[in-house]
Amino acid sequence: MSNIAYLSLGSNRGDRETHLRDAIARLETPGHVVSVSSFYETEPVEFTDQAWFLNCAVALETAQTPKQAMAALLNIELQMGRQRIQKKGPRIIDIDILLFSDKIIDLPDLTVPHPAMQHRRFVLEPLAEIAPEARHPVLKKTIRELVDALPMGQTVQKSQKK
């Protein structure tokens, strides 16, 4: 049985675009990349004294369970040199599961849908580009509706590259 997982990828260290492209290529191990959004330049949130991020969203078709997929994503981050030194701090790569089909998961080490996705323009704008009609299974709203409900604020703009 196959599932569609929607992922958020981000990088703000080194060659951000190369890191994103490397991570996307590595996603072919746990599944099949169905679509990739444009890359977006985004200002950091929460811990703001750091470089801007380059973000994108990816639709991944996978036969893995959510826990298996999360383990595979954490392994990709580790292989790429991700070090968890500072919470919300600079990182070579960050890969989050936003949605996993219509599943709702609340475990100590995995929460799906991502608990803060509806508040983050840097997550929703790229996701709306590839899956505007995908539904948040808890809030019962489409991604486009979630984007439209966001207050003005965080700067998110399509990168000139890609």
Side-chain angles (χ1 to χ4, degrees):
M1 169 139 173
S2 185
N3 294 294
I4 294 290
Y6 291 104
L7 312 175
S8 176
L9 282 68
S11 175
N12 76 334
R13 290 188 55 207
D15 186 338
R16 302 169 306 156
E17 183 177 353
T18 297
H19 295 317
L20 290 181
R21 292 190 188 287
D22 185 12
I24 292 164
R26 290 171 188 251
L27 289 172
E28 291 293 337
T29 299
H32 171 67
V33 174
V34 177
S35 60
V36 179
S37 73
S38 301
F39 291 174
Y40 289 77
E41 292 280 351
T42 66
E43 65 180 321
V45 296
E46 295 182 42
F47 178 64
T48 57
D49 187 21
Q50 61 181 320
W52 279 43
F53 282 84
L54 196 62
N55 291 92
C56 70
V58 172
L60 181 73
E61 186 176 24
T62 182
Q64 292 187 331
T65 67
K67 284 194 75 140
Q68 290 170 330
M70 189 72 236
L73 300 179
L74 290 171
N75 190 46
I76 290 170
E77 289 182 347
L78 188 63
Q79 289 173 357
M80 291 183 64
R82 166 92 189 254
Q83 296 178 329
R84 295 175 185 273
I85 297 168
Q86 180 179 13
K87 189 174 173 90
K88 307 291 183 194
R91 59 208 86 153
I92 289 172
I93 192 67
D94 184 40
I95 309 172
D96 290 327
I97 298 175
L98 303 175
L99 300 170
F100 201 97
S101 295
D102 60 353
K103 293 179 175 22
I104 299 170
I105 303 158
D106 190 10
L107 300 170
D109 57 346
L110 179 62
T111 304
V112 177
H114 190 286
M117 68 179 280
Q118 68 271 18
H119 305 296
R120 295 179 171 172
R121 187 172 298 277
F122 70 90
V123 166
L124 293 176
E125 287 284 349
L127 184 56
E129 183 184 322
I130 63 170
E133 299 306 314
R135 278 200 177 274
H136 191 293
V138 174
L139 300 177
K140 309 290 188 208
K141 293 185 177 180
T142 66
I143 299 308
R144 177 53 53 203
E145 289 170 327
L146 293 175
V147 170
D148 291 345
L150 284 172
M152 295 307 294
Q154 185 196 23
T155 302
V156 173
Q157 57 198 26
K158 278 189 185 178
S159 174
Q160 299 304 311
K161 297 178 181 179
K162 184 172 186 222

